[in-house]
Amino acid sequence: MAHAAQVKIPATYIRGGTSKGVFFRLQDLPERCQVPGEARDKLFMRVIGSPDPYSAHIDGMGGATSSTSKCVILSKSSQPEHDVDYLYGQVSIDSAFVDWSGNCGNLSTAAGAFAIHAGLVDPARIPHNGTCVVRIWQANIQKTIIAHVPITNGEVQETGDFELDGVTFPAAEIVLEFLDPSDDGEEGGSMFPTGNLVDDLDVPGVGTFKATMITAGIPTVFVNAEDIGYQGTELREDINSDPAQLARFEQIRIAGALRMGLIKTPEEAAKRQHTPKIAFVSPPKTYQASSGKQIEASDVDLLVRALSMGKLHHAMMGTCAVAIGTAAAIPGTLVNLAAGGGEREAVRFGHPSGSLRVGAEAKQVDGQWVVTKAIMSRSARILMEGSVRVPGDAF
């Protein structure tokens, strides 16, 4: 029996924030994968090594976690006043699908750096030394992200002393601005799809919980840790080793997705694992992070734990950090109340790997809350570049 030869596709493996993924230039993809569809999805699944019943990704570039099962496509921007279009695919680990419904905030950092590395930014806009402002069009959610990328001797500076909890080694700081990150352009006209800062969310077979449901950065359902039997200090193994609790979180997530209008039936949630996120919040408490570092209650404004693709995240998704910063800036949300209430332009929150600061500018316009931007710092580093190989009959 004849077997197809492997196909070589130019690719770059990059860490962005607390995630990493395989980055492609659109023009380097096989022609049938340059447009959305089954061929592109099959290619990305084979690159990552999904679907994998062993949940190990031994035969692919993925790392068998939601933070490492990611592919990105960049191209020169189709939008005026933007440098690049950035399209992100969250590859399911054990199921045969790619979720295109949201952004990855962590890899947004890498998108800015890769845009320069890949020659997609006008050389006239890149200083010899200084900061290059990369204007990114996030194609999944139709939003603008501004990446402030440090440049040394005409090239992206990747090494530095900026430390990010959840990342082992320091690197150069990249400041990200998420402009108009809420979905206020969607039908309903509000970043709060239900029209309320806090709702009573009825979860069939589980219970009724107070919830803040927001679409900023990424659609997110926030509940109080105490209401679901947690402290807010939990680490990954405390939750991910308990299938019953993970199933309960998924039921809460599905109920939130239905209330937010993201899905019409519970069954649709299986094909929309990336959004919405489910997170739980609590007032500050002292705890030991996964690295062993002590996080003092006095050093953070609140604690947040979030799940991604059905598992507790080892740190915090960048897009969820945007949701946290935005919700914290709006008096009366569960996130704001956990942080002590009142008006605030930034919060530092504790997560399983440490802490993170995120800022947001929110205001009321005609009785509706709007957020103009959210800001946070991340870093990015190329881990490997060259070509990824995929069996030619895989896509």
Side-chain angles (χ1 to χ4, degrees), residues 4-11 24 27-31 43 47 385-392 395:
Q6 291 238 82
V7 176
K8 287 176 62 176
I9 305 169
F24 301 91
Q27 68 213 57
D28 292 334
L29 291 174
E31 190 172 351
L43 171 65
V47 166
E385 55 192 339
S387 298
V388 67
R389 294 198 181 207
V390 179
F395 59 95

Side-chain angles (χ1 to χ4, degrees), residues 209-253:
F209 308 98
K210 296 290 184 186
T212 289
M213 290 170 275
I214 188 170
T215 54
I218 200 163
T220 306
V221 179
F222 290 103
V223 296
N224 288 319
E226 186 178 1
D227 292 349
I228 57 173
Y230 289 116
Q231 294 292 310
T233 58
E234 287 77 12
L235 302 183
R236 272 198 295 185
E237 54 271 22
D238 297 322
I239 290 177
N240 291 347
S241 59
D242 190 337
Q245 290 304 308
L246 293 176
R248 184 173 69 137
F249 275 116
E250 181 63 7
Q251 291 306 307
I252 298 172
R253 192 184 78 88

Side-chain angles (χ1 to χ4, degrees), residues 24-27 73-77 82-85 111 114-123 126:
F24 301 91
R25 296 191 307 175
L26 179 64
Q27 68 213 57
I73 302 171
L74 257 69
S75 58
K76 281 190 175 289
S77 186
H82 289 74
D83 298 300
V84 290
D85 288 352
F114 181 66
I116 298 171
H117 285 297
L120 297 172
V121 176
D122 181 354
I126 304 172

Side-chain angles (χ1 to χ4, degrees), residues 52-71:
D52 184 0
Y54 305 106
S55 294
H57 279 160
I58 295 301
D59 198 20
M61 298 293 293
T65 68
S66 66
S67 305
T68 56
S69 304
K70 303 169 182 278
C71 287

Side-chain angles (χ1 to χ4, degrees), residues 2-333:
H3 294 280
Q6 291 238 82
V7 176
K8 287 176 62 176
I9 305 169
T12 305
Y13 198 44
I14 312 181
R15 176 190 63 75
T18 55
S19 293
K20 56 186 176 182
V22 186
F23 281 63
F24 301 91
R25 296 191 307 175
L26 179 64
Q27 68 213 57
D28 292 334
L29 291 174
E31 190 172 351
R32 61 187 178 279
C33 300
Q34 292 184 15
V35 293
E38 185 180 14
R40 176 185 285 179
D41 287 5
K42 284 185 172 181
L43 171 65
F44 282 3
M45 284 188 282
R46 197 66 169 90
V47 166
I48 293 298
S50 290
D52 184 0
Y54 305 106
S55 294
H57 279 160
I58 295 301
D59 198 20
M61 298 293 293
T65 68
S66 66
S67 305
T68 56
S69 304
K70 303 169 182 278
C71 287
V72 169
I73 302 171
L74 257 69
S75 58
K76 281 190 175 289
S77 186
S78 58
Q79 304 293 317
E81 303 302 314
H82 289 74
D83 298 300
V84 290
D85 288 352
Y86 153 47
L87 186 67
Y88 162 69
Q90 175 77 52
V91 181
S92 177
I93 297 169
D94 54 6
S95 302
F97 77 96
V98 181
D99 195 329
W100 300 97
S101 66
N103 178 33
C104 175
N106 278 298
L107 291 190
S108 301
T109 317
F114 181 66
I116 298 171
H117 285 297
L120 297 172
V121 176
D122 181 354
R125 301 196 60 254
I126 304 172
H128 188 66
N129 289 289
T131 302
C132 181
V133 178
V134 182
R135 304 162 301 185
I136 302 166
W137 178 252
Q138 213 304 320
N140 301 76
I141 59 172
Q142 308 281 290
K143 295 288 183 180
T144 298
I145 302 170
I146 306 294
H148 299 264
V149 182
I151 303 294
T152 300
N153 297 326
E155 296 185 347
V156 174
Q157 165 138 7
E158 297 182 282
T159 57
D161 55 11
F162 173 71
E163 295 189 354
L164 180 64
D165 286 339
V167 176
T168 310
F169 304 106
E173 180 180 10
I174 296 175
V175 177
L176 286 182
E177 296 179 75
F178 296 82
L179 304 188
D180 184 29
S182 72
D183 279 354
D184 47 21
E186 300 288 330
E187 187 178 346
S190 172
M191 74 172 85
F192 298 99
T194 67
N196 304 313
L197 301 184
V198 179
D199 284 278
D200 288 317
L201 181 63
D202 181 40
V203 185
V206 179
T208 301
F209 308 98
K210 296 290 184 186
T212 289
M213 290 170 275
I214 188 170
T215 54
I218 200 163
T220 306
V221 179
F222 290 103
V223 296
N224 288 319
E226 186 178 1
D227 292 349
I228 57 173
Y230 289 116
Q231 294 292 310
T233 58
E234 287 77 12
L235 302 183
R236 272 198 295 185
E237 54 271 22
D238 297 322
I239 290 177
N240 291 347
S241 59
D242 190 337
Q245 290 304 308
L246 293 176
R248 184 173 69 137
F249 275 116
E250 181 63 7
Q251 291 306 307
I252 298 172
R253 192 184 78 88
I254 290 170
L258 287 165
R259 281 290 295 275
M260 296 173 83
L262 297 173
I263 57 176
K264 291 184 172 61
T265 66
E267 291 73 25
E268 290 178 49
K271 291 293 185 183
R272 194 183 173 116
Q273 293 183 352
H274 182 52
T275 55
K277 300 302 185 191
I278 171 79
F280 54 99
V281 300
S282 78
K285 299 180 181 73
T286 297
Y287 67 97
Q288 191 173 64
S290 55
S291 64
K293 181 169 72 171
Q294 183 98 334
I295 304 299
E296 301 293 341
S298 58
D299 292 337
V300 293
D301 299 302
L302 77 160
L303 305 183
V304 191
R305 302 294 187 264
L307 283 80
S308 180
M309 303 294 283
K311 296 288 181 68
L312 188 75
H313 195 274
H314 71 102
M316 184 55 62
M317 305 79 83
T319 48
C320 201
V322 171
I324 292 164
T326 301
I330 298 173
T333 69

